[in-house]
């Protein structure tokens, strides 16, 4: 079995924090040679600080090689161009103007490697009225509409509990790179792939966006209830809470029978999907009165037996103990040179013949200077010492 399906690709990683690294991680996990380029001696924003940040860094930058390189130094830029000649992909998430100031923008790099695929992730896009603004995940959540539909009615806007704009822009960036690499097999030419937190967040609004675009309806907050379907939401149980998603008339009838409240099936207030949404409060109260009489696990067993979609609401510790999560191998072990075995989040994809293979911990800054500059560019140890002395690496 070929455990490294992307091993033929070399990726130069100029990214930091989360959106860009989320894109590059897809290549690192699936076997590409990913070279993380860091400024010499620079304590960057995504460097390990506390325990949470260290854990995040290990998850985000696993499977990479690290070199130090001062791109502002003429020799540093020259070394970078030497790497570009041998690379397939360059990924950056600077503010749009930075790459031009450094002379490492797409047009400059394609002059020395026409096949290079150059990918940029930004806050708001590479041009336009907001292009120069600093872009962060929560800012994109706000402008992109997510915060206006998240949370309970009347409680004010609420951010999502994960950096969804960062993560999705990274994934869309990776998809764009894959498309460009496939197209390169036909044309022989690379191209510039662009995405942003704002573009990704608006795309992720999906059916909520379409409620406005086609129907002229401005979606609001609906808390734990589904915006348009009922009963779909969180309901109390004797020992906590559970999710129920009984969409459609048939599923609603099944739920009512499991809950032993069959009278609701023919209740005029709940005969159709629109009626159940209109009378959501009364319906939720009737269901909640019944679900509160048994434990979560009891209800889940009964509902699953009848094919009613439902599930527990787990904390992070419980999620990774869930038998299906364990079965799907979503917790992966990495051997860290100082800490021994540590755990990271596994890939959410399964390929029938190939897998991501073994994982390596996030590298120390400049850990692979010798391997990359010596192996790829043929520099001798004495050359590396001189470059370090001159502040180039």
């Amino acid at each position: 079995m070929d455990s490294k399906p992307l091993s033929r690709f070399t990726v130069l990683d100029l990214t930091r924090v989360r959106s860009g690294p989320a894109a590059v991680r897809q290549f690192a996990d699936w076997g590409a040679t990913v070279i993380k380029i860091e400024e010499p001696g620079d304590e960057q924003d995504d460097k390990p600080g506390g325990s949470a940040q260290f854990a995040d860094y290990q998850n985000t930058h696993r499977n990479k090689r690290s070199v130090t390189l001062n791109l502002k130094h003429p020799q540093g830029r020259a070394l970078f161009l030497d790497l570009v000649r041998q690379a397939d992909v360059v990924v950056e998430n600077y503010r749009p103007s930075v790459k031009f100031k450094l002379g490492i923008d797409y047009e400059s790099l394609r002059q020395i490697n026409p096949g290079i695929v150059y990918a940029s992730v930004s806050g708001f896009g590479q041009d336009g009225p907001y292009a120069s603004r600093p872009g962060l995940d929560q800012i994109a959540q706000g402008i992109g509409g997510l915060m206006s539909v998240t949370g309970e009615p009347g409680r004010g806007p609420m951010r999502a509990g994960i950096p969804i704009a960062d993560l999705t822009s990274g994934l869309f960036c990776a998809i764009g790179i894959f498309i460009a690499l496939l197209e390169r097999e036909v044309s022989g030419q690379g191209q510039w792939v662009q995405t942003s937190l704002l573009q990704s967040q608006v795309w992720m609004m999906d059916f909520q966006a379409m409620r406005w675009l086609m129907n002229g309806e401005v979606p609001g907050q609906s808390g734990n209830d589904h915006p348009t379907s009922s009963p779909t939401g969180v309901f109390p149980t004797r020992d906590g809470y559970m999710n129920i998603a009984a969409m459609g008339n048939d599923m609603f009838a099944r739920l009512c029978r499991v809950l032993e409240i069959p009278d609701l099936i023919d209740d005029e207030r709940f005969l159709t999907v629109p009626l159940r949404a209109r009378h959501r409060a009364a319906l939720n109260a009737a269901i909640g009165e019944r679900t509160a009489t048994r434990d979560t696990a009891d209800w889940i067993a009964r509902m699953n037996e009848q094919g009613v979609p439902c599930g527990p609401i787990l904390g992070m510790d419980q999620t990774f103990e869930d038998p299906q999560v364990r079965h799907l191998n979503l917790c992966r072990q990495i051997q860290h040179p100082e800490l021994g075995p540590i755990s990271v989040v596994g890939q959410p994809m399964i390929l029938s013949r190939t897998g991501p293979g073994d994982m390596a911990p996030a590298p120390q800054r400049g850990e692979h200077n010798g391997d990359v500059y010596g192996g790829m560019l043929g520099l001798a140890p004495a050359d590396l010492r001189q470059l370090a002395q001159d502040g180039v690496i």
Side-chain angles (χ1 to χ4, degrees):
M1 181 182 74
D2 177 15
S3 62
K4 301 291 184 182
L6 299 183
S7 59
R8 66 188 183 277
F9 296 115
T10 296
V11 179
L12 302 183
D13 178 12
L14 296 170
T15 69
R16 58 197 295 179
V17 189
R18 191 170 310 279
S19 60
V24 177
R25 180 170 56 189
Q26 297 307 104
F27 290 86
D29 277 4
W30 293 94
T33 297
V34 174
I35 302 171
K36 179 173 169 55
I37 296 172
E38 309 185 73
E39 288 190 37
D42 177 43
E43 284 301 322
Q44 295 185 7
D45 296 340
D46 56 0
K47 282 297 178 186
S51 59
Q53 197 171 9
F54 178 82
D56 185 30
Y57 190 79
Q58 289 299 316
N59 190 54
T60 302
H61 295 289
R62 65 210 191 193
N63 295 325
K64 298 180 181 180
R65 301 179 185 185
S66 171
V67 300
T68 49
L69 187 60
N70 182 358
L71 292 169
K72 297 176 183 177
H73 194 290
Q75 285 182 273
R77 182 176 179 275
L79 281 177
F80 178 71
L81 296 182
D82 286 341
L83 292 173
V84 169
R85 289 184 177 91
Q86 301 187 43
D88 298 282
V89 179
V90 174
V91 188
E92 60 87 15
N93 63 342
Y94 300 128
R95 288 199 197 182
S97 63
V98 171
K99 54 185 160 290
F100 296 100
K101 293 177 182 177
L102 293 173
I104 58 169
D105 56 280
Y106 171 63
E107 288 299 326
S108 297
L109 299 192
R110 70 186 290 263
Q111 301 305 314
I112 63 169
N113 183 352
I116 199 73
V117 173
Y118 191 105
S120 298
V121 186
S122 62
F124 302 103
Q126 296 298 308
D127 46 38
Y130 297 173
S132 63
R133 294 185 183 183
L136 296 173
D137 178 86
Q138 187 159 336
I139 309 302
Q141 286 194 33
I143 297 176
L146 180 61
M147 293 177 67
S148 72
V149 299
T150 303
E152 297 176 342
R155 298 287 296 273
M158 180 70 67
R159 68 181 292 274
I162 58 170
I164 191 167
D166 275 340
L167 294 171
T168 54
S169 62
L171 289 175
F172 291 136
C173 179
I175 292 170
I177 295 169
F178 288 132
I179 293 170
L181 288 172
L182 286 170
E183 193 278 338
R184 189 179 71 171
E185 294 179 1
V186 177
S187 69
Q189 300 291 309
Q191 55 186 306
W192 187 9
V193 175
Q194 304 172 34
T195 191
S196 68
L197 275 64
L198 182 58
Q199 287 167 280
S200 302
Q201 184 59 80
V202 172
W203 190 93
M204 289 293 290
M205 294 309 292
D206 200 62
F207 80 95
Q208 296 281 43
M210 292 307 297
R211 291 173 69 184
W212 163 250
L213 290 175
M214 283 200 68
N215 303 332
E217 178 184 359
V218 178
Q221 295 165 298
S222 55
N224 287 319
D225 294 321
H226 189 278
T228 60
S229 176
S230 183
T232 299
V234 174
F235 296 89
T237 63
R238 189 161 58 188
D239 61 348
Y241 294 90
M242 68 179 296
N243 277 315
I244 300 174
M247 297 183 177
N249 290 339
D250 176 66
M251 201 61 68
F252 175 63
R254 291 192 206 180
L255 173 65
C256 291
R257 287 192 286 269
V258 171
L259 294 175
E260 299 176 349
I261 44 177
D263 290 351
L264 294 188
I265 299 172
D266 297 318
D267 190 310
E268 291 185 356
R269 296 171 297 172
F270 312 136
L271 288 176
T272 66
V273 172
L275 283 171
R276 288 194 291 275
R278 186 182 309 166
H279 300 286
R280 185 195 306 271
L283 180 56
N284 284 356
I287 293 172
E289 186 176 342
R290 284 295 299 151
T291 57
T293 63
R294 296 181 184 274
D295 291 348
T296 301
D298 189 356
W299 281 126
I300 288 173
R302 290 167 181 262
M303 291 184 193
N304 278 322
E305 192 174 293
Q306 298 301 317
V308 177
C310 64
I313 299 171
L314 305 180
M316 213 69 259
D317 55 337
Q318 298 169 307
T319 293
F320 281 99
E321 290 301 317
D322 182 88
Q324 187 66 23
V325 173
R326 294 171 70 90
H327 172 78
L328 293 170
N329 203 24
L330 285 165
C331 174
R332 294 292 306 274
Q333 291 271 300
I334 289 180
Q335 190 67 27
H336 192 276
E338 298 173 1
L339 301 177
I342 61 174
S343 297
V344 296
V345 182
Q347 277 288 337
M349 296 171 283
I350 298 172
L351 278 64
S352 64
R353 288 190 300 101
T354 57
D358 294 334
M359 291 190 174
Q364 297 293 321
R365 183 197 312 273
E367 180 180 337
H368 301 97
N369 278 359
D371 293 342
V372 172
Y373 294 135
M376 289 182 64
L377 303 185
L379 298 180
D383 298 326
L384 298 182
R385 287 193 293 271
Q386 186 62 52
L387 289 169
Q389 184 178 326
D390 294 340
V392 178
I393 65 174

